[in-house]
Amino acid sequence: MKKVITYGTFDIIHTGHINLLQRAKEYGDYLIVALSSDAFNAMKGKKSYYTYEQRKAILEAVRYVDQVIPENTWEQKAEDVEKYAVDVFVMGDDWKGKFDFLASYCEVVYLPRTIGISTTKIKTDLNQS
Ligand code: C2G
């Protein structure tokens, strides 16, 4: 079984997230999403609309996702790759280069972001409607 992992907040899930998850899944046959906890979001300076539990429930309903684990720290990635026997680490290319150190543990792939959509844009647009 070829295992893929990706990390993120995935708040107010949208087609940009789905496009990422769908393409990430194509690199293997089992996709783990390490979902930012509410506390880690605060460390990232992000306040998600949905709680961790709500965001986890939504991701678990996405056909491409096989497992959701918590992301609590920046430093857990190498440990996760080892612990879950991950073959491929995938992130959107806004993170390009930031996780190249993982190349000694697994394949590292950065995928183009989906243009024109983001959780921030959704929140802004809704505020103006
Ligand atoms: N994404 C995308 N296209 C968009 C928006 C997001 O491809 N229009 C991708 C991001 O590049 C990321 C994933 O969807 O790979 C999740 O995005 P966020 O929830 O914004 O995640 P982020 O806050 O970047 O957290 O340790 C890594 C961090 O937890 C990443």
Side-chain angles (χ1 to χ4, degrees), residues 6-11 14 16-17 20 23 34 36 40 44 46 71 74 77 90-95 99 111-115 117-118:
T6 190
Y7 290 72
T9 299
F10 293 97
D11 191 30
H14 53 67
H17 296 136
L20 189 283
R23 287 173 294 158
S36 305
F40 185 57
K44 290 198 287 187
K46 278 191 158 184
E71 178 186 29
W74 289 110
K77 294 182 175 67
V90 176
M91 287 300 292
D93 62 4
D94 46 321
W95 292 94
F99 304 116
L111 298 172
R113 275 175 71 92
T114 301
I115 305 301
I117 190 160
S118 69

Short mmCIF file of all heavy atoms in Angstrom, two decimals, residues 6-11 14 16-17 20 23 34 36 40 44 46 71 74 77 90-95 99 111-115 117-118, ligand 1:
data_model
loop_
_atom_site.label_atom_id
_atom_site.label_comp_id
_atom_site.label_asym_id
_atom_site.label_seq_id
_atom_site.Cartn_x
_atom_site.Cartn_y
_atom_site.Cartn_z
N THR A 6 -0.70 14.69 3.75
CA THR A 6 -0.73 16.13 3.52
C THR A 6 -1.19 16.81 4.80
O THR A 6 -1.77 16.14 5.66
CB THR A 6 -1.62 16.50 2.32
OG1 THR A 6 -1.42 17.89 2.00
CG2 THR A 6 -3.10 16.26 2.61
N TYR A 7 -0.90 18.10 4.93
CA TYR A 7 -1.17 18.83 6.17
C TYR A 7 -1.96 20.09 5.86
O TYR A 7 -1.79 20.71 4.81
CB TYR A 7 0.15 19.23 6.85
CG TYR A 7 0.94 18.08 7.42
CD1 TYR A 7 1.60 17.18 6.57
CD2 TYR A 7 1.00 17.86 8.78
CE1 TYR A 7 2.31 16.11 7.09
CE2 TYR A 7 1.72 16.78 9.31
CZ TYR A 7 2.36 15.92 8.45
OH TYR A 7 3.05 14.83 8.98
N GLY A 8 -2.81 20.49 6.81
CA GLY A 8 -3.50 21.76 6.62
C GLY A 8 -4.62 22.01 7.60
O GLY A 8 -4.96 21.18 8.42
N THR A 9 -5.21 23.20 7.48
CA THR A 9 -6.33 23.61 8.33
C THR A 9 -7.67 23.17 7.75
O THR A 9 -8.59 22.79 8.47
CB THR A 9 -6.30 25.14 8.49
OG1 THR A 9 -5.08 25.52 9.12
CG2 THR A 9 -7.47 25.64 9.31
N PHE A 10 -7.78 23.23 6.43
CA PHE A 10 -8.98 22.77 5.71
C PHE A 10 -10.27 23.34 6.34
O PHE A 10 -11.23 22.61 6.61
CB PHE A 10 -9.02 21.24 5.67
CG PHE A 10 -7.92 20.65 4.85
CD1 PHE A 10 -6.74 20.18 5.44
CD2 PHE A 10 -8.03 20.58 3.45
CE1 PHE A 10 -5.71 19.65 4.68
CE2 PHE A 10 -7.00 20.04 2.67
CZ PHE A 10 -5.83 19.58 3.30
N ASP A 11 -10.28 24.63 6.58
CA ASP A 11 -11.47 25.29 7.16
C ASP A 11 -12.40 25.73 6.04
O ASP A 11 -11.96 26.24 5.01
CB ASP A 11 -11.05 26.51 7.99
CG ASP A 11 -12.19 27.07 8.83
OD1 ASP A 11 -13.07 26.26 9.23
OD2 ASP A 11 -12.21 28.29 9.05
N HIS A 14 -13.41 23.80 0.46
CA HIS A 14 -13.80 24.34 -0.85
C HIS A 14 -13.06 23.56 -1.95
O HIS A 14 -12.23 22.69 -1.67
CB HIS A 14 -13.50 25.84 -0.94
CG HIS A 14 -12.10 26.22 -0.58
ND1 HIS A 14 -11.01 25.86 -1.35
CD2 HIS A 14 -11.59 26.91 0.47
CE1 HIS A 14 -9.92 26.34 -0.81
NE2 HIS A 14 -10.23 26.97 0.30
N GLY A 16 -10.70 24.23 -3.83
CA GLY A 16 -9.23 24.28 -3.81
C GLY A 16 -8.68 23.14 -2.95
O GLY A 16 -7.75 22.44 -3.32
N HIS A 17 -9.33 22.94 -1.81
CA HIS A 17 -8.93 21.84 -0.92
C HIS A 17 -9.21 20.49 -1.59
O HIS A 17 -8.36 19.59 -1.58
CB HIS A 17 -9.72 21.89 0.38
CG HIS A 17 -9.46 23.09 1.22
ND1 HIS A 17 -10.49 23.80 1.81
CD2 HIS A 17 -8.32 23.71 1.58
CE1 HIS A 17 -9.99 24.80 2.49
NE2 HIS A 17 -8.68 24.78 2.38
N LEU A 20 -6.76 19.59 -4.23
CA LEU A 20 -5.49 19.18 -3.64
C LEU A 20 -5.59 17.73 -3.16
O LEU A 20 -4.73 16.89 -3.46
CB LEU A 20 -5.14 20.12 -2.48
CG LEU A 20 -3.77 20.06 -1.79
CD1 LEU A 20 -3.67 18.88 -0.83
CD2 LEU A 20 -2.63 20.07 -2.77
N ARG A 23 -5.76 15.23 -6.12
CA ARG A 23 -4.47 15.03 -6.79
C ARG A 23 -3.48 14.33 -5.87
O ARG A 23 -2.72 13.46 -6.31
CB ARG A 23 -3.91 16.37 -7.27
CG ARG A 23 -4.63 16.95 -8.49
CD ARG A 23 -4.14 18.36 -8.82
NE ARG A 23 -4.50 19.27 -7.74
CZ ARG A 23 -3.87 20.45 -7.53
NH1 ARG A 23 -2.87 20.82 -8.29
NH2 ARG A 23 -4.26 21.22 -6.53
N ALA A 34 -3.15 15.28 7.90
CA ALA A 34 -2.79 15.75 9.24
C ALA A 34 -3.43 17.12 9.39
O ALA A 34 -3.01 18.10 8.75
CB ALA A 34 -1.27 15.83 9.39
N SER A 36 -4.72 20.49 11.14
CA SER A 36 -4.27 21.42 12.18
C SER A 36 -5.28 21.49 13.32
O SER A 36 -6.46 21.77 13.09
CB SER A 36 -4.08 22.81 11.59
OG SER A 36 -3.20 22.77 10.48
N PHE A 40 -2.98 24.55 17.26
CA PHE A 40 -1.93 24.77 16.27
C PHE A 40 -2.33 25.89 15.32
O PHE A 40 -1.49 26.70 14.90
CB PHE A 40 -1.62 23.48 15.51
CG PHE A 40 -0.46 23.61 14.55
CD1 PHE A 40 0.79 24.01 15.01
CD2 PHE A 40 -0.62 23.35 13.20
CE1 PHE A 40 1.87 24.14 14.14
CE2 PHE A 40 0.43 23.49 12.32
CZ PHE A 40 1.68 23.88 12.79
N LYS A 44 -0.39 29.19 14.14
CA LYS A 44 -0.19 29.62 12.74
C LYS A 44 -0.81 31.00 12.52
O LYS A 44 -0.79 31.54 11.41
CB LYS A 44 -0.85 28.62 11.77
CG LYS A 44 -0.18 27.30 11.67
CD LYS A 44 -0.60 26.54 10.40
CE LYS A 44 -1.98 26.01 10.45
NZ LYS A 44 -2.32 25.15 9.29
N LYS A 46 -3.99 31.53 12.62
CA LYS A 46 -5.25 31.30 11.91
C LYS A 46 -6.35 31.01 12.93
O LYS A 46 -6.14 30.31 13.91
CB LYS A 46 -5.12 30.07 11.01
CG LYS A 46 -4.46 30.33 9.66
CD LYS A 46 -4.66 29.10 8.77
CE LYS A 46 -4.53 29.46 7.31
NZ LYS A 46 -4.81 28.33 6.42
N GLU A 71 -2.66 17.59 13.58
CA GLU A 71 -1.38 18.28 13.44
C GLU A 71 -1.28 19.26 14.61
O GLU A 71 -2.06 20.21 14.70
CB GLU A 71 -1.29 19.05 12.11
CG GLU A 71 0.01 19.80 11.99
CD GLU A 71 0.10 20.70 10.77
OE1 GLU A 71 -0.93 21.20 10.29
OE2 GLU A 71 1.22 20.91 10.30
N TRP A 74 4.76 22.13 14.26
CA TRP A 74 5.49 22.19 12.97
C TRP A 74 6.45 21.00 12.85
O TRP A 74 6.78 20.56 11.76
CB TRP A 74 6.30 23.49 12.89
CG TRP A 74 5.51 24.72 12.70
CD1 TRP A 74 5.31 25.72 13.60
CD2 TRP A 74 4.78 25.10 11.53
NE1 TRP A 74 4.50 26.69 13.06
CE2 TRP A 74 4.16 26.34 11.79
CE3 TRP A 74 4.57 24.51 10.27
CZ2 TRP A 74 3.37 27.00 10.85
CZ3 TRP A 74 3.79 25.16 9.33
CH2 TRP A 74 3.20 26.39 9.62
N LYS A 77 6.28 16.37 11.38
CA LYS A 77 6.16 15.77 10.03
C LYS A 77 7.06 14.54 9.83
O LYS A 77 6.59 13.48 9.42
CB LYS A 77 6.42 16.81 8.95
CG LYS A 77 5.35 17.90 8.92
CD LYS A 77 5.57 18.91 7.81
CE LYS A 77 4.43 19.90 7.72
NZ LYS A 77 4.33 20.78 8.90
N VAL A 90 2.74 15.49 0.30
CA VAL A 90 2.19 16.40 -0.72
C VAL A 90 1.67 17.67 -0.06
O VAL A 90 1.01 17.61 0.97
CB VAL A 90 1.04 15.73 -1.49
CG1 VAL A 90 0.40 16.71 -2.48
CG2 VAL A 90 1.52 14.49 -2.23
N MET A 91 2.02 18.83 -0.66
CA MET A 91 1.49 20.12 -0.20
C MET A 91 1.24 21.00 -1.40
O MET A 91 1.85 20.82 -2.47
CB MET A 91 2.50 20.84 0.71
CG MET A 91 2.67 20.27 2.10
SD MET A 91 1.16 20.27 3.08
CE MET A 91 0.93 22.03 3.33
N GLY A 92 0.39 21.99 -1.23
CA GLY A 92 0.22 23.01 -2.27
C GLY A 92 1.50 23.81 -2.42
O GLY A 92 2.28 23.94 -1.48
N ASP A 93 1.70 24.37 -3.62
CA ASP A 93 3.00 25.01 -3.91
C ASP A 93 3.19 26.37 -3.25
O ASP A 93 4.23 27.01 -3.42
CB ASP A 93 3.25 25.10 -5.42
CG ASP A 93 2.23 25.97 -6.16
OD1 ASP A 93 1.35 26.58 -5.50
OD2 ASP A 93 2.32 26.01 -7.40
N ASP A 94 2.22 26.82 -2.45
CA ASP A 94 2.49 28.00 -1.61
C ASP A 94 3.52 27.63 -0.55
O ASP A 94 4.16 28.51 0.03
CB ASP A 94 1.21 28.56 -0.98
CG ASP A 94 0.31 27.49 -0.36
OD1 ASP A 94 0.18 26.41 -0.97
OD2 ASP A 94 -0.27 27.73 0.70
N TRP A 95 3.72 26.34 -0.36
CA TRP A 95 4.72 25.84 0.59
C TRP A 95 5.99 25.36 -0.10
O TRP A 95 6.87 24.77 0.54
CB TRP A 95 4.11 24.71 1.43
CG TRP A 95 3.05 25.20 2.34
CD1 TRP A 95 1.70 25.21 2.10
CD2 TRP A 95 3.24 25.81 3.61
NE1 TRP A 95 1.04 25.77 3.17
CE2 TRP A 95 1.96 26.14 4.10
CE3 TRP A 95 4.36 26.08 4.40
CZ2 TRP A 95 1.77 26.74 5.35
CZ3 TRP A 95 4.19 26.68 5.63
CH2 TRP A 95 2.90 27.01 6.11
N PHE A 99 9.43 22.25 2.89
CA PHE A 99 9.51 20.93 3.53
C PHE A 99 10.45 19.99 2.77
O PHE A 99 10.33 18.77 2.87
CB PHE A 99 8.10 20.33 3.64
CG PHE A 99 7.14 21.22 4.39
CD1 PHE A 99 6.02 21.76 3.75
CD2 PHE A 99 7.37 21.55 5.72
CE1 PHE A 99 5.13 22.60 4.42
CE2 PHE A 99 6.49 22.40 6.41
CZ PHE A 99 5.38 22.92 5.76
N LEU A 111 2.10 20.72 -5.24
CA LEU A 111 1.13 20.80 -6.35
C LEU A 111 0.62 22.23 -6.52
O LEU A 111 0.45 22.93 -5.51
CB LEU A 111 -0.06 19.87 -6.05
CG LEU A 111 0.26 18.38 -5.92
CD1 LEU A 111 -0.98 17.62 -5.44
CD2 LEU A 111 0.76 17.82 -7.24
N PRO A 112 0.37 22.65 -7.73
CA PRO A 112 -0.14 24.02 -7.94
C PRO A 112 -1.43 24.26 -7.15
O PRO A 112 -2.33 23.42 -7.17
CB PRO A 112 -0.40 24.07 -9.44
CG PRO A 112 0.40 22.97 -10.04
CD PRO A 112 0.50 21.90 -8.98
N ARG A 113 -1.50 25.40 -6.50
CA ARG A 113 -2.74 25.77 -5.80
C ARG A 113 -3.83 26.01 -6.83
O ARG A 113 -3.55 26.37 -7.97
CB ARG A 113 -2.53 27.07 -5.01
CG ARG A 113 -1.94 26.93 -3.65
CD ARG A 113 -1.68 28.31 -3.05
NE ARG A 113 -2.91 29.00 -2.69
CZ ARG A 113 -3.48 28.94 -1.48
NH1 ARG A 113 -2.93 28.19 -0.56
NH2 ARG A 113 -4.57 29.60 -1.20
N THR A 114 -5.07 25.89 -6.40
CA THR A 114 -6.21 26.26 -7.25
C THR A 114 -6.39 27.78 -7.16
O THR A 114 -6.56 28.31 -6.05
CB THR A 114 -7.49 25.55 -6.79
OG1 THR A 114 -7.25 24.14 -6.84
CG2 THR A 114 -8.68 25.91 -7.66
N ILE A 115 -6.33 28.43 -8.29
CA ILE A 115 -6.38 29.90 -8.30
C ILE A 115 -7.80 30.40 -8.04
O ILE A 115 -8.77 29.77 -8.48
CB ILE A 115 -5.87 30.42 -9.68
CG1 ILE A 115 -4.46 29.87 -9.98
CG2 ILE A 115 -5.88 31.94 -9.74
CD1 ILE A 115 -3.43 30.24 -8.93
N ILE A 117 -9.61 30.85 -5.30
CA ILE A 117 -10.46 30.42 -4.17
C ILE A 117 -9.61 30.22 -2.92
O ILE A 117 -8.47 29.76 -3.00
CB ILE A 117 -11.24 29.12 -4.52
CG1 ILE A 117 -12.29 28.84 -3.44
CG2 ILE A 117 -10.31 27.95 -4.73
CD1 ILE A 117 -13.39 27.91 -3.88
N SER A 118 -10.15 30.69 -1.81
CA SER A 118 -9.49 30.49 -0.51
C SER A 118 -10.53 30.72 0.57
O SER A 118 -11.56 31.37 0.34
CB SER A 118 -8.33 31.49 -0.34
OG SER A 118 -8.87 32.80 -0.17
N1 C2G B 1 -4.85 24.80 -1.27
C1 C2G B 1 -4.87 24.76 -2.66
N2 C2G B 1 -5.57 25.68 -3.34
C2 C2G B 1 -6.27 26.65 -2.68
C3 C2G B 1 -6.27 26.69 -1.28
C4 C2G B 1 -5.55 25.75 -0.58
O1 C2G B 1 -4.23 23.87 -3.28
N3 C2G B 1 -6.96 27.57 -3.42
C5 C2G B 1 -4.05 23.79 -0.56
C6 C2G B 1 -2.91 24.40 0.25
O2 C2G B 1 -1.79 24.67 -0.60
C7 C2G B 1 -2.63 23.31 1.28
C8 C2G B 1 -4.02 22.69 1.49
O3 C2G B 1 -4.85 23.12 0.39
O4 C2G B 1 -1.75 22.33 0.72
C9 C2G B 1 -4.66 23.13 2.79
O5 C2G B 1 -4.67 24.54 2.80
P1 C2G B 1 -4.82 25.29 4.23
O6 C2G B 1 -5.94 24.69 4.97
O7 C2G B 1 -4.75 26.76 3.98
O8 C2G B 1 -3.47 24.80 4.94
P2 C2G B 1 -2.31 25.70 5.54
O9 C2G B 1 -2.86 26.71 6.47
O10 C2G B 1 -1.46 26.11 4.41
O11 C2G B 1 -1.56 24.63 6.51
O12 C2G B 1 2.10 22.29 8.31
C10 C2G B 1 1.49 22.76 7.14
C11 C2G B 1 0.31 23.63 7.45
O13 C2G B 1 -0.57 23.01 8.38
C12 C2G B 1 -0.42 23.97 6.15
#
